[in-house]
Amino acid sequence: MIEMMLVMVVMTVAVTMLASTVSSSTRLGPMQSQRALAAEAVREKLEHMRAMPFEQLWSLYNGYPADDPAGPATAPGAGFLVAGLEPLSADLDGLVGGVRFPGTATSLREDDDDAALGMPRDLDMNLVIDNVPVTDYSILPVEVSIEWESGGEARRFAAHTMFTAP
């Protein structure tokens, strides 16, 4: 009788642990899928940027549509959608993806204090870090990020890289 009770206790503990593991894995499954979607979207955006003419990268992907190379509001811009990811509830444009350069949406800046982008840095290779907007860059740091909502929580995936003139 005692042996049977001991076996029942051991079995109960084992089944409880198994149920907990299965429950955790079903909760993590969607989160891992969303993270994989975000990582793939960032990779695709960076590859698409690599295929563009270097001297147009800033004007193609900044947040200022008036300077687009083919005319106002013709370039991809800074924001983009990712199918399968929900935008943050506070996100006004509904775009989960974003491209960010040093400076502001309207000016590329060498004196930007952004350690994630390796700034400040001499972007036009004139051996001076200027405090004026850069128009003729040779180095272009960029962050591509995805911010989405999952299970009521904000999630983020980002990659940083640097493009250089050919």
Side-chain angles (χ1 to χ4, degrees):
M1 187 75 126
I2 292 175
E3 290 174 356
M4 286 297 283
M5 289 179 67
L6 187 58
V7 167
M8 292 298 283
V9 167
V10 169
M11 290 296 289
T12 303
V13 168
V15 168
T16 302
M17 290 173 61
L18 178 64
S20 175
T21 301
V22 168
S23 173
S24 293
S25 67
T26 57
R27 281 193 311 264
L28 289 176
M31 193 180 335
Q32 289 173 334
S33 295
Q34 291 171 351
R35 187 163 178 83
L37 277 173
E40 181 62 16
V42 165
R43 187 196 65 75
E44 284 179 10
K45 182 57 75 175
L46 287 170
E47 288 302 318
H48 190 265
M49 291 175 77
R50 279 187 184 89
M52 296 291 125
F54 175 77
E55 62 280 352
Q56 292 182 1
L57 282 175
W58 160 253
S59 56
L60 284 170
Y61 293 98
N62 65 22
Y64 186 56
D67 71 347
D68 294 351
T74 58
F80 57 96
L81 290 170
V82 178
L85 298 179
E86 292 296 319
L88 298 173
S89 55
D91 191 351
L92 299 177
D93 66 5
L95 303 174
V96 296
V99 176
R100 187 172 66 88
F101 299 105
T104 66
T106 59
S107 67
L108 185 61
R109 307 278 307 200
E110 292 181 329
D111 60 342
D112 191 33
D113 188 22
D114 189 340
L117 290 175
M119 299 301 293
R121 178 181 292 253
D122 181 16
L123 301 178
D124 56 10
M125 305 298 282
N126 68 355
L127 304 178
V128 177
I129 296 176
D130 299 310
N131 60 356
V132 296
V134 176
T135 56
D136 188 25
Y137 53 89
S138 296
I139 300 172
L140 187 61
V142 63
E143 175 190 78
V144 177
S145 64
I146 311 288
E147 295 180 341
W148 73 99
E149 194 166 305
S150 175
E153 292 185 37
R155 309 275 184 213
R156 185 170 198 276
F157 184 89
H160 299 89
T161 193
M162 195 156 316
F163 294 103
T164 58

